[in-house]
Amino acid sequence: MKKVKLAIFVLLLIIGSLSLFGCGASDKGDDNSNTGGEKTYKVVTDATFPPFESTLPSGEIVGFDIDLIKAIAEVQGFKVDIQHVGWQPMLNAIDNGKGDIAIAGITIDEERKQKYDFTEPYFDATQYILVPENSNVKSLDDLQGQNIGFQSGTTGEKAVQKIFGKDYKGAKGYEDLPAAVNDLLTGRIVAIVGDNAVVGEFVKKYPDKKLKVVKDDRFEVEHYGIMVKKGNTELLKQLNEGLKKIKENGKYQEIKNKYFAE
């Protein structure tokens, strides 16, 4: 009898353990878990890039790109978990599968296309030169021999390297553009090269900093795309379909007008 009771007790323990582990897996889920029947994708970004993405004091991430990816998710029937991780960590997250989608004003270029897949372009941009209001800089020619800042790993860096050379001693890379702006204001650098809408936003949002932008026709037109891991054709198709839908139904233009109204 004791042996029977012991066997029943052990069996109950096993069943209880299996139930416990089963509940634990269901509750925890994963990065692409289904919630309410909808798949959730982890979106990684660099929220130091207004007006495309920035972080409010509350911690909420906002901006053109954020509204865009939310609109695509809505028409395609999936959810997004948006996280600010920084520029290089964003690229790393797509590399190692910890992120599904990257959006942060990412320019589509041949080098990146070798490693990642991109949606159809959703925004056109170019590079501008950001300088103090009292600067005499009128073009790239005036920056020769000067310290020039940019966000490392971006097309701002590539533009400086293309014009001044990869070994240019005055090239100064920064983790993000706000850090570069701080050095510009203290005189450690004389100019910043960055995406037009972003450097323009710094001028508009911080009039007390007394900054201005300088245009130069040697900067080429760039095209932003939403990025996924190379070979993730299913997700890429979903994003392209959603982008097409929101352009057709007027939502894309509504979002664009919100952030880039004349």
Side-chain angles (χ1 to χ4, degrees):
M1 182 63 72
K2 287 183 179 180
K3 289 183 179 181
V4 173
K5 289 182 178 180
L6 179 60
I8 294 172
F9 178 71
V10 170
L11 181 61
L12 290 173
L13 280 178
I14 292 171
I15 293 171
S17 298
L18 289 173
S19 299
L20 180 62
F21 288 133
C23 290
S26 174
D27 292 342
K28 183 178 180 181
D30 54 34
D31 292 338
N32 292 329
S33 60
N34 291 325
T35 306
E38 292 179 308
K39 195 167 189 174
T40 299
Y41 291 108
K42 183 180 287 185
V43 178
V44 285
T45 188
D46 176 17
T48 62
F49 206 63
F52 293 93
E53 41 270 313
S54 59
T55 306
L56 298 177
S58 64
E60 181 185 1
I61 303 171
V62 298
F64 174 81
D65 283 348
I66 306 308
D67 286 2
L68 182 75
I69 195 64
K70 286 181 177 179
I72 290 173
E74 183 176 355
V75 296
Q76 289 300 100
F78 61 80
K79 293 185 177 182
V80 287
D81 172 20
I82 302 170
Q83 298 181 10
H84 161 58
V85 295
W87 181 263
Q88 191 57 50
M90 173 187 71
L91 302 179
N92 294 342
I94 298 299
D95 289 337
N96 59 33
K98 291 184 178 179
D100 302 301
I101 300 167
I103 187 167
I106 308 170
T107 298
I108 305 169
D109 63 26
E110 290 306 315
E111 183 180 349
R112 289 174 182 158
K113 284 167 67 175
Q114 298 301 312
K115 194 171 184 180
Y116 308 100
D117 282 337
F118 288 90
T119 62
E120 293 298 315
Y122 68 86
F123 195 89
D124 292 342
T126 187
Q127 298 294 305
Y128 276 0
I129 305 167
L130 181 68
V131 294
E133 205 172 63
N134 60 0
S135 172
N136 294 321
V137 172
K138 293 183 172 62
S139 72
L140 286 164
D141 295 332
D142 298 320
L143 296 179
Q144 185 64 50
Q146 305 289 340
N147 290 336
I148 309 167
F150 46 78
Q151 184 174 8
S152 296
T154 67
T155 46
E157 177 178 20
K158 292 182 179 181
V160 171
Q161 290 177 344
K162 182 177 180 179
I163 294 163
F164 297 98
K166 288 190 175 182
D167 298 323
Y168 180 63
K169 292 183 179 180
K172 306 293 180 183
Y174 293 84
E175 185 177 343
D176 54 48
L177 280 179
V181 171
N182 286 336
D183 273 7
L184 179 66
L185 296 174
T186 56
R188 293 188 180 92
I189 56 178
V190 301
I192 295 171
V193 173
D195 289 32
N196 58 318
V198 179
V199 296
E201 186 73 6
F202 278 108
V203 175
K204 184 173 70 175
K205 287 192 72 174
Y206 305 104
D208 58 311
K209 305 298 184 185
K210 299 188 182 303
L211 299 169
K212 67 178 181 181
V213 295
V214 176
K215 303 176 185 178
D216 194 298
D217 291 338
R218 277 175 287 180
F219 289 130
E220 299 174 354
V221 175
E222 302 171 10
H223 308 286
Y224 292 171
I226 305 169
M227 192 175 81
V228 301
K229 192 168 187 176
K230 194 77 174 173
N232 194 344
T233 55
E234 181 184 346
L235 179 53
L236 189 66
K237 181 181 177 182
Q238 280 220 61
L239 294 171
N240 274 323
E241 287 177 352
L243 185 58
K244 183 180 179 182
K245 286 177 185 176
I246 64 172
K247 284 184 175 181
E248 290 175 347
N249 67 18
K251 186 64 178 179
Y252 173 87
Q253 193 60 47
E254 178 187 323
I255 296 170
K256 191 172 183 180
N257 291 343
K258 176 181 174 181
Y259 291 97
F260 302 104
E262 293 296 332

